[in-house]
Amino acid sequence: MAAVTLVDLTHACSSQHDSCVKERISEFCALTGDGSREPVFFIADPESSVGTGRFPRSSIQEMFIGFINSPRVLCRSSLSAALYSFKQAIDREDISNVKIVTSSRGRGVFQVYQELLFTSAYNFEYSIMFDSLSCECCPLCPCTDSSSQAADAKHELSTFLQRLPALKGDIAVLRSPLISDCFSHGFSTRTGGISYISTLSSLNLFCNPRRKDSRAVVAENLRRLGLQAGFHPQQFNLIKCNHASDVWVMGKPAPDSYDGMVTNQVGVVIAAPGADCMPLLFTDPVAKVIGVAHAGWKGTLMGIAMATVNAMVSEFGSRPADIVCVIGPSVGPCCFTLEQDSAREFHAIHPDCVRHMDSSRPYVDIRLATRILLARGGIKPEHIEDIRIPHQSESTLCTSCRPELFFSHVRDGLNFGTQIGFVWIK
């Protein structure tokens, strides 16, 4: 698998910084012979003279004459900025294996950033090579404890990410006129965030450790959505999906996973993810109760929609006739197929839920199935709505068909992004 080496020129002694940097490079060159066949990056301290007339980047390049690969030097305004540029560079090449050459102290700092800016989709290996050239040779380079390092790194990275420009346009939130003004709600689209990987760009709102969008980037996307929609990320609660039918009643002990969530707490934002699966929003303006559900095809067959309604009824006294349900963007029957055995279960709900039942992979309408099941459970048909784009007559929004607006697992494969539906009681 492709790999890359990152050589740490930061954390060198401050009183003799340039000589320490040159010693580090010389030591690395001596140990690697004619250089690695893999790409090499050097990350330089922004306060050093690397990249200036006194120590130009060409000086570093000259030290690598005869090497197989000429190194790239990253000297940015902060370590956060440099590592973000490094991540962008290796993501462009689809490289996941990273070797970091540093000191013992440097390893501690880089491991903090590894946790914040990368996921377990990347493999890291640390090589301690520069201990004799770091803190010990400079009384002006104090070591800090790990908790302070983590706090400083988190603040620096957050500040850096907040300054990045939005990608793919501004944040757009879809809302339904069916939901009462006593609630705030919305469905996110994919525009206006900072995620840059093509299938995650740009307002990805879920960090999956198997994908390459870090929790720091997702947190910044959520912060930006909150500014647009009017909530603070500390108020935000996202469903822990398991494609099943468990519902968490907020205030009670939370299960390890749940695809539905209900509450009557004012100001608490609850949200459901989707990227073909349906994010469902439930509101009861009479009892002032809300619910959300994540409904994929499995959850639909297991009854997650009515399980959420039943929790609102049993826990907070809602009446089904008072409950409104808005179905968020999801994959449509134009693009979603299942094996015959699974499609047959949707056909049993209603024949109109399946197209081409005799084919090896019939097309399935999970939204229609949800409407039918909710109506059978006592929700008025006029209280059930598919979310739409304002001033457009198109009746449904297929996530797979609208790449400019939505993420889609069906369309994009395993490294897909996530949009959400959210609601809170004012």
Side-chain angles (χ1 to χ4, degrees):
M1 295 179 65
V4 63
T5 298
L6 178 64
V7 183
D8 174 24
L9 302 183
T10 65
H11 310 106
C13 69
S14 55
S15 60
Q16 303 176 36
H17 190 283
D18 293 353
S19 62
C20 280
V21 167
K22 291 177 180 178
E23 286 184 58
R24 287 187 176 197
I25 296 173
S26 297
E27 185 175 343
F28 176 77
C29 293
L31 289 173
T32 55
D34 63 348
S36 170
R37 295 182 180 275
E38 300 159 347
V40 176
F41 288 78
F42 283 88
I43 188 165
D45 193 323
E47 296 182 359
S48 75
S49 57
V50 173
T52 68
R54 189 156 60 90
F55 193 172
R57 294 172 191 235
S58 59
S59 296
I60 295 181
Q61 302 288 347
E62 289 172 3
M63 299 177 75
F64 286 86
I65 292 176
F67 269 51
I68 295 171
N69 282 318
S70 179
R72 283 175 272 185
V73 181
L74 299 173
C75 185
R76 301 291 187 267
S77 59
S78 66
L79 186 55
S80 294
L83 285 174
Y84 192 79
S85 294
F86 170 72
K87 184 177 185 296
Q88 287 180 307
I90 66 173
D91 285 340
R92 282 193 294 268
E93 303 298 326
D94 196 25
I95 296 174
S96 300
N97 295 311
V98 180
K99 180 179 180 180
I100 296 182
V101 180
T102 184
S103 64
S104 295
R105 177 176 181 263
R107 177 174 60 184
V109 174
F110 278 93
Q111 284 176 333
V112 170
Y113 280 96
Q114 176 188 334
E115 179 70 18
L116 292 171
L117 200 51
F118 297 85
T119 68
S120 56
Y122 302 85
N123 300 309
F124 280 81
E125 174 189 347
Y126 288 86
S127 177
I128 306 304
M129 192 178 290
F130 302 136
D131 276 357
S132 62
L133 304 176
S134 56
C135 294
E136 290 78 8
C137 66
C138 179
L140 300 178
C141 186
C143 288
T144 54
D145 61 71
S146 58
S147 61
S148 177
Q149 285 179 353
D152 291 347
K154 187 173 183 179
H155 175 74
E156 181 191 274
L157 181 58
S158 176
T159 301
F160 167 75
L161 295 177
Q162 288 180 27
R163 295 172 178 165
L164 292 178
L167 304 176
K168 293 184 178 290
D170 298 326
I171 289 177
V173 177
L174 304 178
R175 294 184 173 89
S176 167
L178 204 60
I179 291 182
S180 166
D181 288 341
C182 64
F183 308 104
S184 287
H185 77 286
F187 295 92
S188 68
T189 63
R190 69 180 299 171
T191 61
I194 62 170
S195 302
Y196 58 80
I197 295 173
S198 60
T199 56
L200 301 171
S201 180
S202 66
L203 194 70
N204 174 40
L205 292 167
F206 182 69
C207 178
N208 185 314
R210 297 187 300 275
R211 300 173 205 150
K212 292 189 172 183
D213 228 3
S214 70
R215 58 191 181 97
V217 168
V218 171
E220 173 58 17
N221 287 341
L222 181 62
R223 187 193 70 84
R224 295 185 183 206
L225 175 64
L227 286 176
Q228 174 73 17
F231 66 82
H232 194 282
Q234 290 182 346
Q235 303 166 310
F236 184 80
N237 300 270
L238 185 66
I239 278 174
K240 297 180 180 179
C241 303
N242 193 34
H243 294 273
S245 59
D246 292 322
V247 178
W248 178 36
V249 180
M250 294 192 74
K252 294 187 174 182
D256 291 337
S257 62
Y258 45 92
D259 286 80
M261 183 163 36
V262 297
T263 187
N264 65 350
Q265 299 177 35
V266 175
V268 174
V269 184
I270 57 176
D276 288 331
C277 298
M278 298 170 287
L280 306 178
L281 303 186
F282 300 87
T283 60
D284 176 359
V286 177
K288 299 293 192 298
V289 180
I290 54 175
V292 294
H294 161 264
W297 71 266
K298 292 180 182 178
T300 300
L301 292 176
M302 295 178 71
I304 182 58
M306 279 308 301
T308 306
V309 169
N310 291 337
M312 295 171 69
V313 171
S314 62
E315 297 292 334
F316 302 112
S318 292
R319 297 188 310 149
D322 296 327
I323 295 175
V324 168
C325 177
V326 180
I327 302 172
S330 70
V331 67
C334 48
C335 298
F336 185 58
T337 65
L338 286 173
E339 297 288 347
Q340 268 211 355
D341 287 347
S342 299
R344 194 169 290 113
E345 295 187 64
F346 281 91
H347 191 271
I349 294 172
H350 195 283
D352 289 348
C353 294
V354 182
R355 303 176 185 177
H356 310 298
M357 186 64 224
D358 293 334
S359 68
S360 59
R361 289 191 64 89
Y363 288 83
V364 174
D365 192 336
I366 58 175
R367 286 196 291 250
L368 177 59
T370 297
R371 280 179 164 270
I372 292 170
L373 293 172
L374 286 170
R376 288 176 184 172
I379 306 297
K380 294 179 179 179
E382 62 268 27
H383 284 182
I384 307 169
E385 180 187 63
D386 286 314
I387 193 67
R388 300 182 182 186
I389 297 176
H391 314 301
Q392 291 191 15
S393 59
E394 187 176 343
S395 60
T396 58
L397 291 174
C398 173
T399 47
S400 182
C401 287
R402 302 295 296 268
E404 79 283 5
L405 281 178
F406 304 115
F407 301 109
S408 170
H409 181 198
V410 168
R411 182 189 65 237
D412 297 332
L414 293 177
N415 199 34
F416 60 92
T418 299
Q419 52 259 342
I420 64 169
F422 58 90
V423 63
W424 74 93
I425 305 169
K426 291 182 180 178

